[in-house]
Amino acid sequence: MADQLDITKVAMIGCGSMGGGMALLFAESDIAVMLEDPSEKTVDSLIAKANQEGLGHRVEKHEDYKDLCEKLGSPKVLIFSLPHGTVGDSVVEGLHPFLDRGDIIIDASNEYWQNTQRRQGKLVAQGVYYIGMGVSGGYQAARRGPSMCPGGEERAVNMVLPLLKKICAKDKKGRPCVGFAGVGGAGHFVKMIHNGIEHGMMSAISESWQIMNACLGMKYDAIGEELARWNAHGELKGTFLVDIGVQICKQKNREGGHVLSTVQDKVVQDVDGSEGTGIWSNTEAVRLHVPAPTLTAAHYIRIASADRAQRVHARKTIHCHFPQEKIVHSEVERRAFLEDLRLAVYEACLAAYIQGINIIDKADAENKWGIDMGTVIQIWRAGCIIQWDALADMLEEHFNVHGTDENRNLLFESKFADELNKGFAPLKKVVGKGVEVNAVIPSLSATLEYMKYAANTFLPTSFYEAELDYFGKHMFDLKSEPAGEAITGKHHFEWKPA
């Protein structure tokens, strides 16, 4: 292991909500922070906040890279918190004349992993280390302690780990939620998939909220109480997204109304370009041939929701908006259905995790990053959006032994298969009832289909394969032959002469 550095100064390039929060967190840990951002107003606002918190003496404004770099120690440590894409390239280009061998850039943006690897390759000749580090938990965690997923040259990551451990989230046992994710772009790839899992979980939980509200007639406060029950005990215990749902359901505005009742039903981050990880995680799933329907269905409803005006137009054309109908239950039946709903959400969230881990596993094999899933699960233990205590306990136990196995598909593990089997019947009931009453349940229903085909050996694709062979001579395997791998079949039938 390389010598760990005693870093007392860092640069924060990009001082928005995430970069600004981390800058204050570093300052709070006795680190001098040199600030740079294209918006002078943003930097001035951050310095004012630092002054209010008694941290003003540890932050310093800089307007050009030369001056910024001259104020840093050796090696220089520069942290990016920037929009994804070409902005990072421009900043690297601007810093290039002022960087020396051994300097370290930590890209804490939600950057695309291939951009990370390209920059790593560009800077290696200069002897500059480029660490791609996923940061999770939102702007609140950026200020109070985020989950951090650094990847790149292991020597460089080890040099900065003492710095990162000072500010990262800690789990309930006091263990830091940061660790070496792997070489190359592994850190940003893992964070990208974290966000894909996040979207699948959010969709399933949101779908359950609408079922409770629109179909069971539950008021927001009552839904909050139900979510609190889910979060306190059982399979969903300690789930961040369920926990914040409790507050969201109960939060009132100054007029005494529920804030949630004023929020329009659209998610625009994928469409407005501010968020790329959902798009990339689904693209990677398709590219790597990993079925991830819970994640993908969640992404499609995000896209559909973004343009509300288009939905309004389509509603007028179709002359119906498929209103949700009430589910009529006795009180005993209602409680039983809510328990089924809880387990259905559990099933979908567990499937989202499994699908995401399978994507990471496939990419790791392709790129030889050396990802240890045991480390990843510890990174996700606290401070991140997909924090889930009950599942983390199971995953930690498993991946502490199997974290670097050649194949880490949890569908092959009896313990996790048993958990999926436990949730299947409740999920089937919820989806069936949801179809009857027009509930919007893309991730829940996609998870049900996933369960039906992921371990099924009688799929309708026999007919599909025959049609492909009919018009394209794409070949097929015979049922009498071994299952084999995903390679072209050896047989063709001349269904109709050319």
Side-chain angles (χ1 to χ4, degrees):
M1 181 180 291
D3 292 336
Q4 297 180 330
L5 299 178
D6 181 18
I7 299 166
T8 59
K9 296 179 181 180
V10 300
M12 181 62 68
I13 299 178
C15 299
S17 59
M18 293 295 289
M22 285 189 288
L24 294 175
L25 195 53
F26 279 118
E28 204 169 56
S29 300
D30 295 326
I31 306 296
V33 187
M34 313 301 152
L35 306 173
E36 197 282 333
D37 191 281
S39 169
E40 187 174 354
K41 182 180 178 182
T42 297
V43 177
D44 289 343
S45 175
L46 179 57
I47 290 175
K49 186 172 179 58
N51 286 327
Q52 290 173 3
E53 298 185 17
L55 301 171
H57 61 292
R58 296 199 188 106
V59 298
E60 190 176 303
K61 177 180 177 180
H62 292 270
E63 296 182 357
D64 65 77
Y65 296 144
K66 182 176 184 295
D67 179 53
L68 178 80
C69 289
E70 286 175 350
K71 291 295 182 75
L72 295 173
S74 180
K76 294 183 282 291
V77 177
L78 305 102
I79 301 168
F80 292 179
S81 184
L82 305 167
H84 62 82
T86 57
V87 176
D89 294 318
S90 299
V91 173
V92 169
E93 193 67 31
L95 287 169
H96 185 270
F98 313 112
L99 297 177
D100 301 309
R101 181 171 295 276
D103 288 346
I104 301 171
I105 294 172
I106 303 174
D107 186 348
S109 317
N110 265 340
E111 186 54 274
Y112 183 44
W113 67 275
Q114 289 190 355
N115 288 341
T116 304
Q117 296 201 152
R118 176 172 50 78
R119 292 172 196 156
Q120 287 170 338
K122 180 178 180 179
L123 289 167
V124 70
Q126 195 178 358
V128 174
Y129 299 113
Y130 193 95
I131 296 170
M133 184 173 76
V135 177
S136 180
Y139 71 93
Q140 295 101 333
R143 177 64 186 91
R144 301 300 170 192
S147 163
M148 293 177 156
C149 189
E153 190 165 330
E154 187 170 10
R155 181 175 187 273
V157 174
N158 285 332
M159 285 192 286
V160 300
L161 271 177
L163 172 72
L164 301 177
K165 287 178 180 179
K166 288 181 180 180
I167 71 161
C168 73
K170 310 298 188 296
D171 68 13
K172 293 178 179 179
K173 296 180 181 178
R175 298 174 297 181
C177 294
V178 64
F180 175 59
V183 300
H188 276 146
F189 191 95
V190 170
K191 174 54 166 58
M192 173 187 75
I193 299 304
H194 163 287
N195 285 20
I197 296 170
E198 169 190 315
H199 297 172
M201 293 177 69
M202 289 177 76
S203 187
I205 295 165
S206 299
E207 292 161 31
S208 73
W209 164 79
Q210 190 182 64
I211 288 173
M212 286 188 275
N213 181 238
C215 303
L216 293 179
M218 294 172 64
K219 303 297 184 184
Y220 290 161
D221 288 340
I223 297 173
E225 291 299 324
E226 183 66 18
L227 293 178
R229 182 178 74 85
W230 294 6
N231 191 57
H233 308 286
E235 291 82 358
L236 292 170
K237 181 180 179 180
T239 305
F240 173 81
L241 288 167
V242 175
D243 185 40
I244 66 171
V246 176
Q247 182 180 352
I248 288 170
C249 285
K250 295 184 176 184
Q251 186 70 51
K252 303 286 185 65
N253 55 28
R254 291 179 180 177
E255 291 73 37
H258 287 88
V259 177
L260 181 56
S261 68
T262 70
V263 179
Q264 205 171 91
D265 62 340
K266 62 179 189 177
V267 176
V268 302
Q269 286 76 18
D270 307 295
V271 177
D272 70 10
S274 61
E275 172 61 83
T277 53
I279 298 169
W280 305 330
S281 56
N282 282 286
T283 301
E284 288 298 312
V286 173
R287 185 184 71 81
L288 294 166
H289 314 298
V290 177
T294 308
L295 279 57
T296 303
H299 189 68
Y300 278 128
I301 191 173
R302 283 165 64 101
I303 294 172
S305 77
D307 193 340
R308 183 176 170 84
Q310 179 174 275
R311 287 186 283 125
V312 169
H313 190 175
R315 175 181 171 179
K316 292 177 181 176
T317 306
I318 298 173
H319 303 298
C320 180
H321 72 294
F322 309 107
Q324 288 82 34
E325 300 169 9
K326 297 295 183 187
I327 298 174
V328 180
H329 279 147
S330 68
E331 183 56 28
V332 172
E333 291 170 331
R334 178 176 167 278
R335 291 308 314 171
F337 183 79
L338 283 171
E339 179 60 11
D340 284 338
L341 185 60
R342 183 184 72 85
L343 289 172
V345 171
Y346 170 59
E347 183 91 345
C349 291
L350 177 57
Y353 252 87
I354 290 172
Q355 292 161 22
I357 288 170
N358 285 345
I359 300 170
I360 292 172
D361 187 53
K362 243 339 185 17
D364 188 29
E366 177 186 72
N367 292 281
K368 297 178 172 55
W369 286 325
I371 294 174
D372 185 337
M373 282 307 303
T375 300
V376 172
I377 298 308
Q378 177 56 35
I379 290 170
W380 291 349
R381 267 284 189 180
C384 76
I385 304 302
I386 64 171
Q387 176 183 339
W388 180 358
D389 295 345
L391 181 62
D393 289 341
M394 287 194 291
L395 291 173
E396 179 181 334
E397 181 181 355
H398 176 75
F399 282 126
N400 277 351
V401 178
H402 303 288
T404 57
D405 283 4
E406 187 174 332
N407 190 317
R408 291 166 285 194
N409 190 338
L410 295 177
L411 292 178
F412 301 161
E413 303 297 330
S414 58
K415 182 175 184 177
F416 294 93
D418 289 345
E419 292 299 310
L420 289 169
N421 287 333
K422 177 169 63 177
F424 180 75
L427 176 64
K428 190 175 179 180
K429 290 178 187 176
V430 168
V431 171
K433 183 59 69 173
V435 170
E436 286 183 28
V437 298
N438 291 330
V440 180
I441 47 173
S443 285
L444 292 174
S445 57
T447 301
L448 178 64
E449 293 304 315
Y450 175 69
M451 289 302 301
K452 286 161 57 181
Y453 62 65
N456 199 321
T457 57
F458 184 61
L459 299 178
T461 42
S462 293
F463 192 83
Y464 199 137
E465 182 83 318
E467 291 206 324
L468 286 168
D469 187 60
Y470 183 104
F471 66 76
K473 199 177 181 180
H474 287 288
M475 316 295 282
F476 56 88
D477 286 325
L478 298 174
K479 290 183 177 180
S480 58
E481 296 173 337
E485 298 179 355
I487 57 176
T488 303
K490 299 178 289 294
H491 305 278
H492 167 69
F493 185 82
E494 196 66 13
W495 305 87
K496 178 181 179 182

